[in-house]
Every structure is written in C-alpha cells, then in structure tokens.
C-alpha cells in the first residue's frame, strides 16, 4: 500500500488529485488518509469478505496475502456445518473470523452466541454452557437456559477453549459427539442443533501432550483449523487499518482526521505489534483523542514500551481458596490495578479483559483495594 507522497514546498494541503494515484500534492511529512481511501480497490475486490451484517463497529479490514488466505478458507468452510478451530495470538481478530463464518453460512439467520471460556468461574461454567434447573444448587432460584440451548439453530463461539476444566471438556465432548446434553440438576436429555467454532491462543497439541487438554476433544475440534496471522505477518494492512480506525474514532470524538504523519506511519510499520490489531486499534484511538488538528501523530513512546517480566502470583493450593478469594488476594497486592505489566492480570497470567470479566461475574469491587 503506497503512502503516495509528493514533496512540495508548501506545508498546506492541496486538493486531492483523483486521476493518477501515483502522486498526490500533500505535505512531504504527512500521508493522506483520504488518499489511501481513493487508492483502495472497489469494495468487491479490496477484500474478499466484509461482515455482511456489520453494525458499523466491527469489520475484517485488509487485503494482505496472509489475510486473503484466511478469508479464502472462511469462504470454503462457511457453507458447511463442520467444526472450526481458530488458532492465533491474542488480538488477531479470531472472533471476527468466527462471525464471518457464521454470516456466510446457512445458519446466518440463527443466533451467534459467544462464550469466553476463561472469563467464567469454573463453578459456574457448566450452568452457563448447559443451563440449570430450579433448585440445582443453592442460588438456582429458577430454571436457566444455557448457551448451547440459546444457540440452537445457529452457531456457538467458544473462545479460549483451552481454559476449560477437565470436567467440562468431558461434557463438551459429549455435545460434539451426541449432539445432546442435560441441564445441571436435570435428567431430561436436550437435543441441540448448533455449529461449534472454537478459538485459542495456545498450542493445543502441546496442551494435550502435557495432559491439560483431552486428546479426543482436540481431534473433535480440529476438523478444520484456521490460523489467524499476527499483525507482523500482514504489515501491508497497517495503512488501511489506521485509516479505518482513525475514521471510526474521529467520528466518535467529533474530530476531522485527514492525514497521518509520515514518520509515524513508518514507525508503525517497523513496530512488532505484540498485541496485534487490538493494540493498533488502541494506539490509533489514543492518538485521535490527543490530536489537536487534522494530522494524526504517533508518539514513539507508544510503540517502544516493553512489558516488564512479571512472575505470576502463586496461590498455595493448601489454602483451599475459591476463585473469588484468589482474585481478591492479587487485587489487594496490586491496589486494585488490573491492567498493565504490574496489574493483577499479569500476576495471574491472564488476559486483562478475561480477568475483568471474572471480576464482574463474581461481583468483586476492585475499587475497594485502591
């Protein structure tokens, strides 16, 4: 993707030249976001797939060879009910790929149910997935429909599948094999018609070899694996992603962003993006908020911070602590801080968003530890 810059003596912007896109009369140190929009291929060829039911907030954006390979696999597998296993680092967009598969399938008019397996406490996950009957446990005051039942006729997306406990892995294996389950505390078998898409940022084969993940479940899930590439393998998508996010956040903040500083774009190309597209999105949002004019500037400090190595807090198993107490212990150590290299998430070895979800589901007030 060319930045299409031409050196001019004046630093003021000039009207776009929409004929020959090889050259635009912009200031030498900035690249026009609108220029890149004009240089994109048409919507039908720019990218082989855009989410058809996009609400305006989430799209698969880019046209790099690495992304095109993923989208080609999506087109091939979407029409069938085969189980799909999405593999890739955190922040690469696995959920968007799952949505794309659902929306190109015959189940597109059915529900798309998302489950973050790591965000659910182990004592609640069976109830969340399969539902429960009234009186099944102390707080079960009424019958509850589980996620698999809610997804009937559609697709269920099981994110962070590697975090499931061995007991739940057995129950999931039964659903995949028999297409039925029982609610917690119930004895009635419920049939389910649901397509399963699972995702993980871990090496499942290694998890199997080290005894943390069932081999039979792995082979049930690994019918059609799709590797979602990290951003460092699709560097050519960075300009169009910056364009997309800058326009999105400029609209939200009521600002007008038309250019990006050339040095900033160069620095973004050279950066390794360990947090992938999610990190890029956060950086662009921060830059739009800080922008005083129409030029997007990226502070080099935003791209050079390396998280310090944090040794996860070890909770002695002999203490018999439940998950809520474990989290509260670490929050007390970090004074309520969840995010960042010194936050509770890093100490527990969890993604910060996952820990935040667990804090909400367990009704923990993190502010009391500040």
């Amino acid at each position: 993707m060319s930045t299409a810059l031409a050196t001019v003596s004046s630093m003021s912007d000039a009207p776009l030249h929409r004929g020959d896109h090889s050259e635009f009369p912009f200031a030498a140190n900035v690249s026009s976001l609108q220029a890149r929009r004009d240089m994109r291929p048409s919507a039908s060829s720019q990218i082989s797939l855009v989410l058809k039911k996009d609400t305006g907030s989430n799209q698969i954006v880019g046209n790099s060879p690495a992304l095109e390979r993923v989208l080609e696999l999506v087109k091939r597998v979407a029409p069938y009910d085969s189980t799909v296993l999405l593999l890739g680092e955190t922040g690469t967009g696995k959920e968007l790929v799952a949505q794309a598969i659902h929306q190109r399938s015959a189940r597109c008019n059915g529900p798309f149910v998302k489950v973050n397996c790591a965000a659910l406490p182990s004592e609640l996950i069976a109830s969340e997935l399969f539902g429960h009957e009234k009186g099944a446990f102390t707080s079960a005051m009424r019958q509850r429909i589980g996620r698999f039942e809610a997804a009937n006729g559609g697709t269920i997306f099981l994110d962070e599948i590697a975090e499931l406990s061995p007991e739940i892995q057995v129950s999931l294996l039964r659903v995949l094999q028999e297409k039925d389950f029982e609610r917690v505390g119930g004895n009635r078998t419920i049939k389910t018609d649901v397509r399963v898409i699972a995702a993980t940022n871990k090496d499942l084969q290694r998890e199997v070899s080290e005894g943390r993940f069932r081999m039979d479940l792995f082979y049930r899930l690994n019918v059609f694996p799709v590797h979602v590439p990290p951003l460092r393998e699709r560097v050519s998508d960075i300009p169009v992603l910056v364009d997309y996010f800058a326009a999105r956040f400029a609209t939200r903040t009521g600002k007008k962003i038309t250019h990006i500083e050339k040095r900033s774009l160069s620095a973004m190309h050279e950066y390794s993006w360990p947090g992938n597209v999610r990190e890029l999105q956060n950086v662009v949002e921060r830059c739009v908020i800080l922008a005083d004019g129409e030029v997007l500037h990226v502070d080099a400090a935003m791209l050079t911070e390396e998280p310090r190595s944090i040794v996860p807090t070890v909770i002695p198993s002999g203490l018999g602590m439940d998950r809520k107490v474990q989290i509260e212990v670490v929050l007390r150590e970090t004074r309520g801080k969840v995010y960042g290299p010194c936050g509770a998430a890093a100490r527990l070895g969890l993604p910060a968003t996952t820990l935040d979800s667990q804090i909400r589901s367990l009704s923990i007030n993190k502010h009391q530890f500040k």
Side-chain angles (χ1 to χ4, degrees):
M1 178 76 68
S2 169
T3 56
L5 297 176
T7 302
V8 293
S9 58
S10 171
M11 289 297 291
S12 60
D13 299 336
L16 292 178
H17 175 57
R18 300 182 183 275
D20 179 5
H21 293 307
S22 63
E23 214 173 67
F24 289 92
F26 296 122
N29 70 327
V30 296
S31 172
S32 168
L33 297 179
Q34 183 61 49
R36 287 199 299 279
R37 294 184 193 118
D38 293 340
M39 291 169 65
R40 293 186 197 171
S42 63
S44 60
S45 61
Q46 173 209 345
I47 188 169
S48 54
L49 177 65
V50 173
L51 299 186
K52 292 183 178 179
K53 295 183 180 178
D54 174 54
T55 60
S57 61
N58 293 310
Q59 285 187 351
I60 296 178
V61 177
N63 51 20
S64 64
L67 182 61
E68 291 287 354
R69 285 193 292 271
V70 171
L71 297 174
E72 179 60 31
L73 292 174
V74 166
K75 287 195 296 182
R76 287 178 179 270
V77 75
Y80 310 106
D81 273 349
S82 301
T83 301
V84 179
L85 180 60
L86 302 177
L87 306 166
E89 298 175 10
T90 296
T92 51
K94 295 186 290 294
E95 183 179 323
L96 286 180
V97 175
Q99 289 177 337
I101 293 171
H102 172 70
Q103 291 175 5
R104 289 186 68 95
S105 73
R107 297 175 177 268
C108 61
N109 293 322
F112 179 79
V113 178
K114 299 177 285 186
V115 182
N116 185 330
C117 299
L120 298 173
S122 57
E123 61 269 22
L124 297 179
I125 193 165
S127 172
E128 287 289 334
L129 290 177
F130 309 117
H132 63 249
E133 299 291 352
K134 181 179 178 180
F137 45 88
T138 305
S139 59
M141 306 305 293
R142 61 172 183 261
Q143 184 190 76
R144 176 172 180 172
I145 301 299
R147 305 291 181 90
F148 269 95
E149 206 165 342
N152 193 55
T155 303
I156 189 167
F157 174 53
L158 303 175
D159 198 8
E160 300 197 55
I161 191 75
E163 305 303 323
L164 289 178
S165 67
E167 296 79 15
I168 299 300
Q169 290 180 33
V170 173
S171 300
L172 179 58
L173 182 63
R174 173 187 169 180
V175 176
L176 291 173
Q177 289 177 332
E178 309 297 335
K179 307 294 183 184
D180 62 34
F181 61 91
E182 295 170 0
R183 296 193 191 113
V184 176
N187 53 20
R188 182 170 67 91
T189 299
I190 300 171
K191 286 288 183 182
T192 181
D193 172 26
V194 62
R195 182 187 197 162
V196 175
I197 301 176
T200 181
N201 58 12
K202 293 188 175 181
D203 182 343
L204 275 190
Q205 290 182 306
R206 178 183 230 175
E207 295 293 302
V208 169
S209 66
E210 295 180 359
R212 290 188 292 269
F213 201 82
R214 292 180 64 97
M215 181 181 292
D216 47 5
L217 180 56
F218 169 71
Y219 285 118
R220 280 285 177 179
L221 293 171
N222 198 41
V223 176
F224 196 91
V226 176
H227 172 69
V228 183
L231 188 54
R232 62 182 175 275
E233 292 180 9
R234 40 179 295 215
V235 176
S236 61
D237 285 335
I238 289 177
V240 71
L241 284 165
V242 172
D243 182 1
Y244 173 76
F245 290 129
R248 175 174 160 185
F249 294 123
T251 299
R252 288 186 184 179
T253 57
K255 295 186 177 183
K256 184 180 180 182
I257 303 294
T258 59
H259 297 75
I260 180 170
E261 188 182 50
K262 185 178 180 182
R263 283 176 299 180
S264 295
L265 188 59
S266 177
M268 295 173 93
H269 273 95
E270 294 172 2
Y271 184 54
S272 62
W273 297 106
N276 294 296
V277 178
R278 186 180 295 129
E279 183 184 5
L280 174 65
Q281 174 182 333
N282 292 343
V283 167
V284 174
E285 180 175 9
R286 197 181 317 159
C287 292
V288 170
I289 292 172
L290 295 173
D292 292 322
E294 298 184 1
V295 177
L296 195 72
H297 167 75
V298 180
D299 190 327
M302 297 180 185
L303 307 180
T304 56
E305 293 181 4
E306 291 293 335
R308 287 178 291 169
S309 178
I310 297 292
V311 178
T313 298
V314 177
I315 307 293
S317 57
L319 294 180
M321 295 183 179
D322 62 20
R323 186 59 177 166
K324 182 174 182 177
V325 176
Q326 290 178 3
I327 293 173
E328 288 178 338
V329 166
V330 180
L331 284 172
R332 189 171 289 107
E333 293 177 358
T334 63
R335 297 186 178 182
K337 184 177 181 181
V338 174
Y339 290 78
C342 298
R347 289 179 177 271
L348 288 167
L350 291 174
T353 51
T354 295
L355 180 57
D356 243 351
S357 297
Q358 291 187 3
I359 288 171
R360 288 193 298 271
S361 66
L362 293 170
S363 300
I364 297 173
N365 179 13
K366 62 185 177 183
H367 302 291
Q368 67 179 310
F369 302 107
K370 292 186 176 179

